[in-house]
Amino acid sequence: MRSAPGLTPVIGIVNIGVMIVAVVALLVLPLGHDDETAEHKAGPAPEATPPVVPPPPPVTATAESARNVGANELGLVPVLMYHRILSKRLASIDRTPSQLRGELEKLASEGYVPITAAEFVAGAVDIPAGAHPVVLTFDDGHPSHFALGADGTPKKDTAVRIIYDVAGRYPGFRPVATFWINADPFGLRDRARQKAAVGWLVEHGFEVANHTFRHPDLYRLTKKKIAESIVREQRQLKELGAPRSATFALPYGSRPKKRSTAREGKWDGTTYHFDAVFLAGAEPAISPYAKAFDPYNIPRVQSNGKKGECRKWCSQYWLEWLRKHPDRRYTSDGDPAHVSIPRRFRGKIKAKFDGVLITY
């Protein structure tokens, strides 16, 4: 992981050993209480039909308009990592529905707009001028992430329902996220129900992608076993009607001994290739337009407060840091056809974007 282009090197390099230690430590740390654990009052119940957020109106950015909104499309993007959403946390990495809702409402109130991991990697950041992209990611396909009620809408206190609750209160908050799933998505074992769940999410703009079939530690596996675990999940996703997985999240954030195995390989006659690989920690991600962007080592920020290992590595810390350093975060020019940046970052952008670059 590298520091953001042109920025003061305040963001440390986190190697895989540190990430694994941090994840294990967070699993066993006492829960305690912090600012993020206070119960957050829910807003009014959402409508029966989930809200639809229309795309922003088309604009053509100019140097003047980019300057007016402080556009910096080489800024940092928080890719937030969530696991179980439980009314009573059983591990430090769990979040309660109130905590998730509170964090999403803070993001919405500060002008963040969700995009999927695949959109981020592709540089498809189509959000209003002055807004900031955020990537909401949920690992393991836990039942608390998604389930449909008898009325055909997401059940109360699931991650998807909470995302829609927030979108209902903040119309600019686009209700999308990325779900990296395993063998029994959302706790479902019946293939028809699995297919219905994945189909609903894909139809509503969510990304459903590969997290291996049984969530092994890839560092401990042979190249063949890694490929098998990924291909088995790839085949399942295809059967369930999900598009090709452009992105892949490493179980436990643990990279294989041969790192290229996480992004491409072959097993039993089936090949796989990912456009990006996401880690398990522990800082905001570099813009996909930057020369320093490495699509196969994209860091994520665990959603959590500022206790223990999270004093400087989890979402409360980083979102506060980005709030205090607005010039360091990604701010959109509102024009997906151009990339706007302050002139001082001119040398930090990939050459292929020179033809669409706006500086001020």
Side-chain angles (χ1 to χ4, degrees), residues 70-109:
N72 178 13
E73 296 185 325
L74 283 185
L76 297 168
V77 177
V79 180
L80 301 184
M81 179 178 67
Y82 299 93
H83 289 83
R84 297 178 300 189
I85 309 300
L86 304 176
S87 58
K88 183 175 181 180
R89 296 165 68 199
L90 302 178
S92 180
I93 59 174
D94 297 334
R95 306 304 278 155
T96 68
S98 295
Q99 288 170 336
L100 175 59
R101 184 177 291 106
E103 183 159 80
L104 298 187
E105 288 186 347
K106 283 183 180 179
L107 289 167
S109 68

Side-chain angles (χ1 to χ4, degrees), residues 16-26 309:
I16 188 61
V18 172
M19 286 192 294
I20 293 175
V21 170
V23 169
V24 172
L26 287 165
E309 292 289 334

Side-chain angles (χ1 to χ4, degrees), residues 38 45 81 85 111 131-132 141 148 160 163 199 203 210-211 230-231 249 280 301 307 310 323 327 356 358:
M81 179 178 67
I85 309 300
H132 321 291
L148 291 176
V160 173
I163 290 170
E203 181 183 350
N210 198 318
H211 196 41
I230 292 172
V231 167
V301 176
K307 298 291 185 180
C310 277
R323 191 182 310 124
D327 59 320
V356 295
I358 294 173

